[in-house]
Amino acid sequence: MAKRELRLMIRFRLLVPLALFLLNASASAQFVKRVDVPSLGFSFDIPAGWTGMEQQGAWGLVKEDVAGTVIISTHEHKTLEGLEKDMTALPTDDPANSIQQVGPVRHPYPNAIELDFKGTMEWQPVWIGTVGMISNAGGPGLSIVALGQGTEPNLPLLEAAMSVIESVRFTQPVAPPVVEQWRAHLTGTRLTYISSYSSPSTMAGGLGGGMSTQITLDLCPGGRFTRKAGSDLTLGSADASAASVSGSQGTGSWDVLTDGPEGARLELRANDGSISSYTLEDRNGGTFLQGERWFRTTGGDGENAPRCDQ
């Protein structure tokens, strides 16, 4: 499951791939005692007898004689009100994955919300006990999910989840070196994304055409950005042709933040309140945002240089 889609545990449809992986995984251990993630500012203990695994920023615990798994993931909520709203926002359009809340919202700790759910995942009956925790140290919060097979609560599974919850310690996040490396690499640069598509007519006298898109991000010193996007659409035949041009522009602030234990992401906070986030990756010197190639240019690149003096 994509880490950036696992910010809150009870978006349960997104839990299905990871949950099925963990429920059917072998007991080979990746870690067996304590998980410590200083870059995100939290740590927790693995209960005795349980085995821990990590997959794309989520941690799963299994035990051979327990039919279920405990899943620990991060979320970005800073208030209990926002956390509760997200936890209770259940999808209703997928019969194979149908979950209903059981009982009221509970508050086991001042910084936590507890909820129970039951229903089906991939048509299989499940019982889910969940706790969402807000960090008191400035980092992401944690979601702890006890996902059990069957229609009734699984006591050993719930006890393991509660053991994890009681062991959680939040600390101020310490950004890994890769974050500062990306900040230095991107400050005072322009990133440009280019894509094009064309389709010739498949019959005599028919229409053909194409589209091209270009997006530029000027990432200026001081944390300001300017985004410009433009698209050209053309259609034509032997007898007629048409074209259209569209564009947009936006400004705001940018930063490089921690993405998982060792990764980095570019976050754009536009002045209109919207937020965009892109995982950052270097592939043989090429800059990739969310898996797509962007071309990086600097102040010495003429017309392709960033415009940071405006």
Side-chain angles (χ1 to χ4, degrees):
M1 183 189 334
K3 173 184 58 182
R4 203 168 316 287
E5 305 302 324
L6 192 61
R7 296 303 184 192
L8 192 65
M9 69 290 193
I10 206 55
R11 295 295 188 180
F12 73 95
R13 181 160 41 191
L14 302 177
L15 282 173
V16 173
L18 176 61
L20 295 180
F21 167 80
L22 291 170
L23 289 170
N24 294 288
S26 68
S28 59
Q30 289 190 3
F31 41 79
V32 293
K33 292 185 178 180
R34 186 162 183 84
V35 175
D36 189 6
V37 191
S39 62
L40 298 179
F42 67 83
S43 60
F44 60 86
D45 288 333
I46 298 176
W50 288 71
T51 298
M53 291 167 281
E54 188 272 338
Q55 181 173 320
Q56 297 183 356
W59 291 262
L61 312 181
V62 293
K63 194 170 186 285
E64 287 187 1
D65 58 351
V66 178
T69 183
V70 177
I71 302 171
I72 302 99
S73 62
T74 61
H75 64 76
E76 299 297 334
H77 288 284
K78 302 302 181 183
T79 67
L80 290 177
E81 292 77 12
L83 180 61
E84 180 178 335
K85 181 179 180 181
D86 214 346
M87 288 174 67
T88 55
L90 297 171
T92 60
D93 58 351
D94 186 356
N97 298 290
S98 177
I99 299 293
Q100 301 84 40
Q101 182 177 329
V102 178
V105 175
R106 304 182 297 280
H107 296 272
Y109 302 102
N111 68 329
I113 290 175
E114 184 176 9
L115 278 168
D116 293 328
F117 301 87
K118 67 177 180 180
T120 59
M121 293 179 68
E122 296 297 301
W123 300 110
Q124 300 302 310
V126 294
W127 179 281
I128 307 173
T130 68
V131 170
M133 305 181 73
I134 301 293
S135 172
N136 57 7
L142 284 180
S143 302
I144 298 93
V145 180
L147 175 61
Q149 299 173 342
T151 59
E152 299 295 331
N154 183 313
L155 184 57
L157 186 64
L158 295 176
E159 289 176 342
M162 185 54 64
S163 176
V164 171
I165 293 163
E166 291 174 347
S167 73
V168 169
R169 298 293 181 270
F170 289 113
T171 57
Q172 184 175 357
V174 178
V178 67
V179 170
E180 191 55 45
Q181 292 167 6
W182 274 108
R183 283 191 186 127
H185 185 68
L186 296 180
T187 297
T189 67
R190 169 175 288 185
L191 300 180
T192 302
Y193 171 78
I194 300 172
S195 69
S196 61
Y197 168 80
S198 62
S199 176
S201 171
T202 58
M203 56 188 300
L207 286 174
M211 172 181 282
S212 63
T213 299
Q214 179 169 311
I215 304 171
T216 62
L217 286 173
D218 290 351
L219 303 176
C220 299
R224 302 298 299 172
F225 80 84
T226 300
R227 180 186 186 274
K228 295 182 180 180
S231 296
D232 298 323
L233 174 65
T234 60
L235 294 172
S237 68
D239 301 318
S241 63
S244 67
V245 179
S246 61
S248 63
Q249 180 171 327
T251 59
S253 62
W254 72 276
D255 198 2
V256 176
L257 304 176
T258 301
D259 189 51
E262 299 297 334
R265 60 187 171 91
L266 172 64
E267 183 175 273
L268 305 178
R269 291 182 174 266
N271 290 335
D272 64 6
S274 62
I275 301 175
S276 302
S277 185
Y278 307 86
T279 58
L280 291 167
E281 185 180 0
D282 181 286
R283 299 183 188 176
N284 298 319
T287 299
F288 285 74
L289 276 61
Q290 209 66 23
E292 295 180 323
R293 174 69 188 272
W294 290 63
F295 296 94
R296 174 181 174 272
T297 51
T298 63
D301 289 312
E303 64 179 17
N304 295 315
R307 300 294 183 259
C308 291
D309 53 355
Q310 301 178 359

Tab-separated table of all heavy atoms in Angstrom, residues 237-286:
chain	number	residue	atom	x	y	z
A	237	SER	N	-7.944	17.897	-39.794
A	237	SER	CA	-8.179	16.953	-40.872
A	237	SER	C	-7.753	17.615	-42.163
A	237	SER	O	-7.222	18.738	-42.169
A	237	SER	CB	-9.666	16.563	-40.933
A	237	SER	OG	-10.451	17.678	-41.333
A	238	ALA	N	-8.006	16.971	-43.264
A	238	ALA	CA	-7.643	17.556	-44.548
A	238	ALA	C	-8.449	18.811	-44.839
A	238	ALA	O	-8.023	19.668	-45.624
A	238	ALA	CB	-7.845	16.521	-45.655
A	239	ASP	N	-9.603	18.978	-44.235
A	239	ASP	CA	-10.492	20.086	-44.552
A	239	ASP	C	-10.531	21.177	-43.500
A	239	ASP	O	-10.945	22.302	-43.793
A	239	ASP	CB	-11.925	19.559	-44.759
A	239	ASP	CG	-11.988	18.530	-45.875
A	239	ASP	OD1	-11.324	18.750	-46.913
A	239	ASP	OD2	-12.678	17.514	-45.691
A	240	ALA	N	-10.155	20.875	-42.266
A	240	ALA	CA	-10.300	21.879	-41.204
A	240	ALA	C	-9.337	21.557	-40.070
A	240	ALA	O	-8.831	20.440	-39.949
A	240	ALA	CB	-11.736	21.891	-40.683
A	241	SER	N	-9.100	22.569	-39.257
A	241	SER	CA	-8.254	22.373	-38.082
A	241	SER	C	-8.706	23.309	-36.976
A	241	SER	O	-9.370	24.320	-37.224
A	241	SER	CB	-6.779	22.637	-38.418
A	241	SER	OG	-6.596	23.990	-38.803
A	242	ALA	N	-8.360	22.968	-35.740
A	242	ALA	CA	-8.718	23.789	-34.590
A	242	ALA	C	-7.643	23.631	-33.533
A	242	ALA	O	-6.938	22.616	-33.482
A	242	ALA	CB	-10.076	23.374	-34.028
A	243	ALA	N	-7.500	24.659	-32.732
A	243	ALA	CA	-6.494	24.629	-31.666
A	243	ALA	C	-7.000	25.406	-30.470
A	243	ALA	O	-7.802	26.339	-30.599
A	243	ALA	CB	-5.176	25.217	-32.152
A	244	SER	N	-6.549	25.012	-29.286
A	244	SER	CA	-6.896	25.733	-28.065
A	244	SER	C	-5.691	25.753	-27.147
A	244	SER	O	-4.873	24.836	-27.162
A	244	SER	CB	-8.095	25.099	-27.356
A	244	SER	OG	-7.759	23.818	-26.855
A	245	VAL	N	-5.587	26.822	-26.370
A	245	VAL	CA	-4.491	26.994	-25.434
A	245	VAL	C	-5.077	27.348	-24.079
A	245	VAL	O	-5.987	28.176	-23.982
A	245	VAL	CB	-3.530	28.105	-25.887
A	245	VAL	CG1	-2.410	28.288	-24.868
A	245	VAL	CG2	-2.954	27.795	-27.263
A	246	SER	N	-4.567	26.717	-23.017
A	246	SER	CA	-5.027	27.025	-21.664
A	246	SER	C	-3.825	27.110	-20.739
A	246	SER	O	-2.774	26.541	-21.014
A	246	SER	CB	-6.007	25.965	-21.157
A	246	SER	OG	-5.386	24.691	-21.102
A	247	GLY	N	-3.994	27.834	-19.637
A	247	GLY	CA	-2.886	27.983	-18.708
A	247	GLY	C	-3.365	28.389	-17.333
A	247	GLY	O	-4.514	28.799	-17.149
A	248	SER	N	-2.477	28.275	-16.368
A	248	SER	CA	-2.794	28.663	-14.997
A	248	SER	C	-1.502	29.042	-14.293
A	248	SER	O	-0.408	28.675	-14.733
A	248	SER	CB	-3.501	27.525	-14.248
A	248	SER	OG	-2.644	26.390	-14.138
A	249	GLN	N	-1.643	29.752	-13.184
A	249	GLN	CA	-0.480	30.165	-12.414
A	249	GLN	C	-0.853	30.213	-10.948
A	249	GLN	O	-1.986	30.546	-10.583
A	249	GLN	CB	0.013	31.549	-12.865
A	249	GLN	CG	1.240	32.045	-12.106
A	249	GLN	CD	1.826	33.296	-12.716
A	249	GLN	OE1	1.778	33.480	-13.933
A	249	GLN	NE2	2.391	34.164	-11.888
A	250	GLY	N	0.096	29.856	-10.084
A	250	GLY	CA	-0.137	29.902	-8.652
A	250	GLY	C	1.146	30.190	-7.908
A	250	GLY	O	2.253	29.979	-8.421
A	251	THR	N	1.010	30.687	-6.683
A	251	THR	CA	2.161	30.988	-5.843
A	251	THR	C	1.900	30.470	-4.439
A	251	THR	O	0.766	30.164	-4.061
A	251	THR	CB	2.444	32.494	-5.786
A	251	THR	OG1	1.268	33.160	-5.273
A	251	THR	CG2	2.766	33.046	-7.164
A	252	GLY	N	2.962	30.384	-3.644
A	252	GLY	CA	2.827	29.930	-2.266
A	252	GLY	C	4.190	29.649	-1.663
A	252	GLY	O	5.203	30.212	-2.087
A	253	SER	N	4.212	28.767	-0.683
A	253	SER	CA	5.451	28.405	-0.001
A	253	SER	C	5.791	26.949	-0.262
A	253	SER	O	4.905	26.125	-0.486
A	253	SER	CB	5.326	28.655	1.509
A	253	SER	OG	4.308	27.856	2.066
A	254	TRP	N	7.081	26.646	-0.212
A	254	TRP	CA	7.530	25.280	-0.450
A	254	TRP	C	8.521	24.862	0.626
A	254	TRP	O	9.177	25.675	1.258
A	254	TRP	CB	8.174	25.128	-1.828
A	254	TRP	CG	9.528	25.762	-1.961
A	254	TRP	CD1	9.809	27.074	-2.251
A	254	TRP	CD2	10.808	25.116	-1.806
A	254	TRP	NE1	11.164	27.289	-2.288
A	254	TRP	CE2	11.808	26.110	-2.018
A	254	TRP	CE3	11.194	23.815	-1.497
A	254	TRP	CZ2	13.169	25.826	-1.942
A	254	TRP	CZ3	12.552	23.532	-1.419
A	254	TRP	CH2	13.522	24.511	-1.647
A	255	ASP	N	8.635	23.550	0.826
A	255	ASP	CA	9.630	23.002	1.737
A	255	ASP	C	9.846	21.543	1.397
A	255	ASP	O	9.021	20.909	0.709
A	255	ASP	CB	9.167	23.141	3.198
A	255	ASP	CG	10.330	23.004	4.191
A	255	ASP	OD1	11.482	22.835	3.745
A	255	ASP	OD2	10.071	23.071	5.408
A	256	VAL	N	10.940	20.997	1.862
A	256	VAL	CA	11.217	19.563	1.764
A	256	VAL	C	11.040	18.972	3.151
A	256	VAL	O	11.615	19.466	4.127
A	256	VAL	CB	12.635	19.287	1.243
A	256	VAL	CG1	12.917	17.786	1.240
A	256	VAL	CG2	12.804	19.865	-0.161
A	257	LEU	N	10.223	17.921	3.247
A	257	LEU	CA	9.890	17.306	4.520
A	257	LEU	C	10.257	15.824	4.498
A	257	LEU	O	10.500	15.235	3.444
A	257	LEU	CB	8.389	17.464	4.809
A	257	LEU	CG	7.846	18.900	4.794
A	257	LEU	CD1	6.339	18.886	4.992
A	257	LEU	CD2	8.519	19.750	5.855
A	258	THR	N	10.282	15.245	5.680
A	258	THR	CA	10.543	13.811	5.807
A	258	THR	C	9.411	13.016	5.178
A	258	THR	O	8.234	13.331	5.348
A	258	THR	CB	10.676	13.435	7.288
A	258	THR	OG1	11.742	14.182	7.867
A	258	THR	CG2	10.967	11.947	7.447
A	259	ASP	N	9.767	11.969	4.467
A	259	ASP	CA	8.785	11.069	3.869
A	259	ASP	C	9.127	9.649	4.283
A	259	ASP	O	9.998	9.015	3.690
A	259	ASP	CB	8.796	11.205	2.349
A	259	ASP	CG	7.650	10.449	1.705
A	259	ASP	OD1	6.510	10.631	2.131
A	259	ASP	OD2	7.919	9.662	0.774
A	260	GLY	N	8.465	9.163	5.332
A	260	GLY	CA	8.830	7.861	5.859
A	260	GLY	C	10.130	7.943	6.633
A	260	GLY	O	10.671	9.020	6.871
A	261	PRO	N	10.651	6.816	7.028
A	261	PRO	CA	11.859	6.820	7.861
A	261	PRO	C	13.074	7.448	7.202
A	261	PRO	O	13.865	8.108	7.867
A	261	PRO	CB	12.090	5.325	8.138
A	261	PRO	CG	10.753	4.692	7.985
A	261	PRO	CD	10.074	5.467	6.896
A	262	GLU	N	13.255	7.292	5.889
A	262	GLU	CA	14.492	7.739	5.257
A	262	GLU	C	14.273	8.538	3.979
A	262	GLU	O	15.243	8.905	3.326
A	262	GLU	CB	15.379	6.523	4.930
A	262	GLU	CG	15.801	5.707	6.143
A	262	GLU	CD	16.672	6.513	7.105
A	262	GLU	OE1	17.332	7.466	6.648
A	262	GLU	OE2	16.694	6.179	8.303
A	263	GLY	N	13.040	8.823	3.605
A	263	GLY	CA	12.775	9.500	2.350
A	263	GLY	C	12.507	10.985	2.525
A	263	GLY	O	12.536	11.537	3.624
A	264	ALA	N	12.256	11.673	1.400
A	264	ALA	CA	11.969	13.099	1.402
A	264	ALA	C	10.853	13.374	0.403
A	264	ALA	O	10.690	12.661	-0.590
A	264	ALA	CB	13.213	13.911	1.043
A	265	ARG	N	10.095	14.446	0.667
A	265	ARG	CA	9.031	14.851	-0.243
A	265	ARG	C	8.993	16.368	-0.347
A	265	ARG	O	9.339	17.077	0.593
A	265	ARG	CB	7.662	14.325	0.226
A	265	ARG	CG	7.240	14.808	1.613
A	265	ARG	CD	5.971	14.106	2.067
A	265	ARG	NE	5.660	14.373	3.465
A	265	ARG	CZ	4.892	15.362	3.899
A	265	ARG	NH1	4.337	16.191	3.021
A	265	ARG	NH2	4.669	15.529	5.183
A	266	LEU	N	8.607	16.840	-1.505
A	266	LEU	CA	8.428	18.267	-1.747
A	266	LEU	C	6.982	18.611	-1.446
A	266	LEU	O	6.065	18.012	-2.006
A	266	LEU	CB	8.764	18.593	-3.200
A	266	LEU	CG	8.453	20.021	-3.664
A	266	LEU	CD1	9.306	21.038	-2.912
A	266	LEU	CD2	8.644	20.147	-5.172
A	267	GLU	N	6.782	19.594	-0.559
A	267	GLU	CA	5.428	20.031	-0.224
A	267	GLU	C	5.224	21.461	-0.689
A	267	GLU	O	6.032	22.342	-0.389
A	267	GLU	CB	5.166	19.924	1.279
A	267	GLU	CG	3.739	20.306	1.665
A	267	GLU	CD	3.446	20.078	3.141
A	267	GLU	OE1	3.049	18.949	3.493
A	267	GLU	OE2	3.625	21.032	3.919
A	268	LEU	N	4.142	21.687	-1.423
A	268	LEU	CA	3.775	23.014	-1.919
A	268	LEU	C	2.487	23.438	-1.221
A	268	LEU	O	1.462	22.751	-1.330
A	268	LEU	CB	3.562	22.986	-3.439
A	268	LEU	CG	4.705	22.448	-4.296
A	268	LEU	CD1	4.294	22.454	-5.756
A	268	LEU	CD2	5.980	23.257	-4.091
A	269	ARG	N	2.545	24.572	-0.525
A	269	ARG	CA	1.350	25.144	0.119
A	269	ARG	C	0.980	26.413	-0.637
A	269	ARG	O	1.608	27.460	-0.466
A	269	ARG	CB	1.636	25.430	1.590
A	269	ARG	CG	1.821	24.167	2.430
A	269	ARG	CD	2.065	24.481	3.903
A	269	ARG	NE	2.088	23.267	4.695
A	269	ARG	CZ	1.023	22.772	5.334
A	269	ARG	NH1	-0.119	23.435	5.306
A	269	ARG	NH2	1.114	21.661	6.029
A	270	ALA	N	-0.046	26.299	-1.487
A	270	ALA	CA	-0.443	27.425	-2.323
A	270	ALA	C	-1.174	28.480	-1.497
A	270	ALA	O	-1.743	28.190	-0.432
A	270	ALA	CB	-1.335	26.937	-3.464
A	271	ASN	N	-1.178	29.696	-2.003
A	271	ASN	CA	-1.845	30.788	-1.299
A	271	ASN	C	-3.359	30.601	-1.224
A	271	ASN	O	-4.015	31.239	-0.402
A	271	ASN	CB	-1.518	32.123	-1.982
A	271	ASN	CG	-0.067	32.533	-1.774
A	271	ASN	OD1	0.576	32.130	-0.805
A	271	ASN	ND2	0.469	33.318	-2.703
A	272	ASP	N	-3.917	29.753	-2.081
A	272	ASP	CA	-5.357	29.493	-2.019
A	272	ASP	C	-5.717	28.433	-0.983
A	272	ASP	O	-6.886	28.060	-0.849
A	272	ASP	CB	-5.898	29.087	-3.392
A	272	ASP	CG	-5.298	27.766	-3.901
A	272	ASP	OD1	-4.553	27.105	-3.146
A	272	ASP	OD2	-5.581	27.403	-5.054
A	273	GLY	N	-4.717	27.931	-0.252
A	273	GLY	CA	-4.964	26.953	0.799
A	273	GLY	C	-4.741	25.512	0.399
A	273	GLY	O	-4.706	24.626	1.260
A	274	SER	N	-4.584	25.218	-0.879
A	274	SER	CA	-4.365	23.844	-1.326
A	274	SER	C	-2.934	23.400	-1.036
A	274	SER	O	-2.010	24.215	-1.008
A	274	SER	CB	-4.660	23.710	-2.827
A	274	SER	OG	-3.780	24.526	-3.582
A	275	ILE	N	-2.765	22.108	-0.814
A	275	ILE	CA	-1.464	21.532	-0.498
A	275	ILE	C	-1.190	20.392	-1.474
A	275	ILE	O	-2.036	19.515	-1.667
A	275	ILE	CB	-1.412	21.015	0.946
A	275	ILE	CG1	-1.686	22.151	1.940
A	275	ILE	CG2	-0.056	20.386	1.246
A	275	ILE	CD1	-1.780	21.684	3.381
A	276	SER	N	-0.009	20.390	-2.077
A	276	SER	CA	0.420	19.312	-2.955
A	276	SER	C	1.715	18.726	-2.408
A	276	SER	O	2.559	19.449	-1.886
A	276	SER	CB	0.650	19.823	-4.382
A	276	SER	OG	-0.514	20.422	-4.909
A	277	SER	N	1.851	17.414	-2.531
A	277	SER	CA	3.024	16.741	-1.996
A	277	SER	C	3.549	15.743	-3.016
A	277	SER	O	2.765	15.011	-3.641
A	277	SER	CB	2.673	16.035	-0.682
A	277	SER	OG	3.821	15.477	-0.087
A	278	TYR	N	4.869	15.711	-3.199
A	278	TYR	CA	5.501	14.850	-4.194
A	278	TYR	C	6.701	14.136	-3.571
A	278	TYR	O	7.587	14.784	-3.006
A	278	TYR	CB	6.007	15.671	-5.390
A	278	TYR	CG	4.978	16.568	-6.031
A	278	TYR	CD1	4.752	17.855	-5.539
A	278	TYR	CD2	4.243	16.138	-7.136
A	278	TYR	CE1	3.817	18.686	-6.132
A	278	TYR	CE2	3.303	16.964	-7.733
A	278	TYR	CZ	3.091	18.241	-7.223
A	278	TYR	OH	2.164	19.066	-7.813
A	279	THR	N	6.751	12.824	-3.679
A	279	THR	CA	7.936	12.101	-3.258
A	279	THR	C	9.103	12.485	-4.165
A	279	THR	O	8.935	12.681	-5.371
A	279	THR	CB	7.715	10.588	-3.324
A	279	THR	OG1	7.349	10.211	-4.664
A	279	THR	CG2	6.630	10.149	-2.364
A	280	LEU	N	10.281	12.593	-3.564
A	280	LEU	CA	11.472	13.002	-4.298
A	280	LEU	C	12.401	11.806	-4.488
A	280	LEU	O	12.616	11.020	-3.559
A	280	LEU	CB	12.208	14.103	-3.539
A	280	LEU	CG	11.489	15.458	-3.478
A	280	LEU	CD1	12.145	16.367	-2.443
A	280	LEU	CD2	11.490	16.120	-4.854
A	281	GLU	N	12.954	11.707	-5.684
A	281	GLU	CA	13.844	10.589	-5.984
A	281	GLU	C	14.892	11.034	-6.997
A	281	GLU	O	14.585	11.770	-7.946
A	281	GLU	CB	13.025	9.427	-6.555
A	281	GLU	CG	13.824	8.162	-6.802
A	281	GLU	CD	12.969	7.055	-7.375
A	281	GLU	OE1	11.759	7.275	-7.577
A	281	GLU	OE2	13.529	5.978	-7.636
A	282	ASP	N	16.113	10.620	-6.777
A	282	ASP	CA	17.201	10.852	-7.720
A	282	ASP	C	17.490	9.546	-8.455
A	282	ASP	O	17.792	8.533	-7.834
A	282	ASP	CB	18.458	11.338	-6.992
A	282	ASP	CG	19.607	11.615	-7.952
A	282	ASP	OD1	20.207	10.652	-8.464
A	282	ASP	OD2	19.885	12.799	-8.194
A	283	ARG	N	17.376	9.575	-9.763
A	283	ARG	CA	17.675	8.402	-10.577
A	283	ARG	C	18.810	8.753	-11.538
A	283	ARG	O	18.593	9.432	-12.538
A	283	ARG	CB	16.447	7.947	-11.369
A	283	ARG	CG	15.260	7.540	-10.522
A	283	ARG	CD	14.118	7.036	-11.393
A	283	ARG	NE	12.901	6.811	-10.624
A	283	ARG	CZ	11.728	6.445	-11.164
A	283	ARG	NH1	11.652	6.255	-12.485
A	283	ARG	NH2	10.668	6.285	-10.402
A	284	ASN	N	19.999	8.343	-11.188
A	284	ASN	CA	21.177	8.584	-12.014
A	284	ASN	C	21.332	10.064	-12.367
A	284	ASN	O	21.643	10.423	-13.500
A	284	ASN	CB	21.106	7.740	-13.292
A	284	ASN	CG	21.094	6.257	-13.009
A	284	ASN	OD1	21.813	5.777	-12.133
A	284	ASN	ND2	20.259	5.522	-13.733
A	285	GLY	N	21.083	10.920	-11.369
A	285	GLY	CA	21.225	12.349	-11.582
A	285	GLY	C	19.970	13.043	-12.050
A	285	GLY	O	19.923	14.280	-12.103
A	286	GLY	N	18.932	12.300	-12.417
A	286	GLY	CA	17.660	12.884	-12.834
A	286	GLY	C	16.745	13.098	-11.637
A	286	GLY	O	16.740	12.296	-10.701
